[in-house]
Amino acid sequence: MAQSAGISRSTFYLYFRDKVDVLLRLSGSLKTESYAIAAAWRPTGPDGGLDGLARTYELILRHYREHAALLPAINGVAAYDPLVREAWTADQDRFIDNLVTVLKEEQRAGRTPADIDPELAAKVIVQGGGQVIAQQVSNSDGSDDTVVARELARGYWYGVYRRPGSPTTD
């Protein structure tokens, strides 16, 4: 790795403990940026509603596509390295916690049915959406990212609000 980067091994070890440390830093940056994209969306915000959610998913897909080579490395190492797996899971938990907050706010405002379990719904949306995004980035050229983003948004929107156009028009 050091040779590919054009640096000496000793220089590499001045900045990183090992290859896993490099992967953790890169994946942390990936998740921090994608979290900022996701956390900026609010159902009734200026870029809210179904259309805003679809744009948010499209931005996340674009961001992950820019880092497509990193995803298989993270998944591969996470399969055997508990530190990488825990870091990746902790990052995913941030997305879930944010969405739980949004869903509870929406329930309090009467825009989301009270019988939806915010914690479980957030896990399904984040983990399921994450799998769709990973597969889309890995298995397509991106020409249908807009369509996939729209369907992810519809699944979330109609699953949580149960009616077209709520709380804002789509």
Side-chain angles (χ1 to χ4, degrees):
M1 191 181 290
Q3 185 178 9
S4 295
I7 60 172
S8 69
R9 286 176 54 92
S10 60
T11 301
F12 174 87
Y13 288 110
L14 282 174
Y15 295 97
F16 305 103
R17 286 188 317 273
D18 52 23
K19 291 186 279 189
V20 170
D21 188 33
V22 173
L23 187 61
L24 286 171
R25 288 194 202 181
L26 289 171
S27 68
S29 174
L30 173 70
K31 283 294 191 172
T32 297
E33 293 172 35
S34 58
Y35 178 81
I37 294 167
W41 181 82
R42 285 293 189 255
T44 58
D47 291 320
L50 177 60
D51 290 338
L53 183 57
R55 280 190 299 277
T56 298
Y57 275 120
E58 196 168 355
L59 289 171
I60 292 170
L61 274 163
R62 187 176 311 139
H63 176 67
Y64 274 75
R65 195 166 290 289
E66 290 169 2
H67 300 87
L70 184 57
L71 295 175
I74 293 167
N75 288 327
V77 176
Y80 66 83
D81 188 297
L83 190 61
V84 173
R85 185 172 45 256
E86 289 167 16
W88 193 250
T89 300
D91 287 332
Q92 194 173 51
D93 287 345
R94 286 179 57 216
F95 284 82
I96 292 169
D97 292 343
N98 176 66
L99 188 50
V100 167
T101 300
V102 170
L103 293 174
K104 287 181 177 180
E105 288 170 0
E106 291 299 292
Q107 283 178 324
R108 280 191 296 277
R111 292 184 292 256
T112 297
D115 66 340
I116 289 178
D117 178 334
E119 288 83 10
L120 186 55
K123 281 184 181 181
V124 168
I125 291 166
V126 170
Q127 292 172 349
Q131 287 297 315
V132 170
I133 290 168
Q135 290 297 314
Q136 177 67 8
V137 169
S138 297
N139 299 327
S140 85
D141 63 3
S143 61
D144 61 343
D145 281 358
T146 300
V147 175
V148 170
R150 185 78 177 173
E151 288 307 313
L152 278 168
R154 285 180 177 147
Y156 172 156
W157 190 262
Y158 296 127
V160 170
Y161 296 104
R162 295 189 182 158
R163 57 193 185 280
S166 297
T168 60
T169 60
D170 56 356

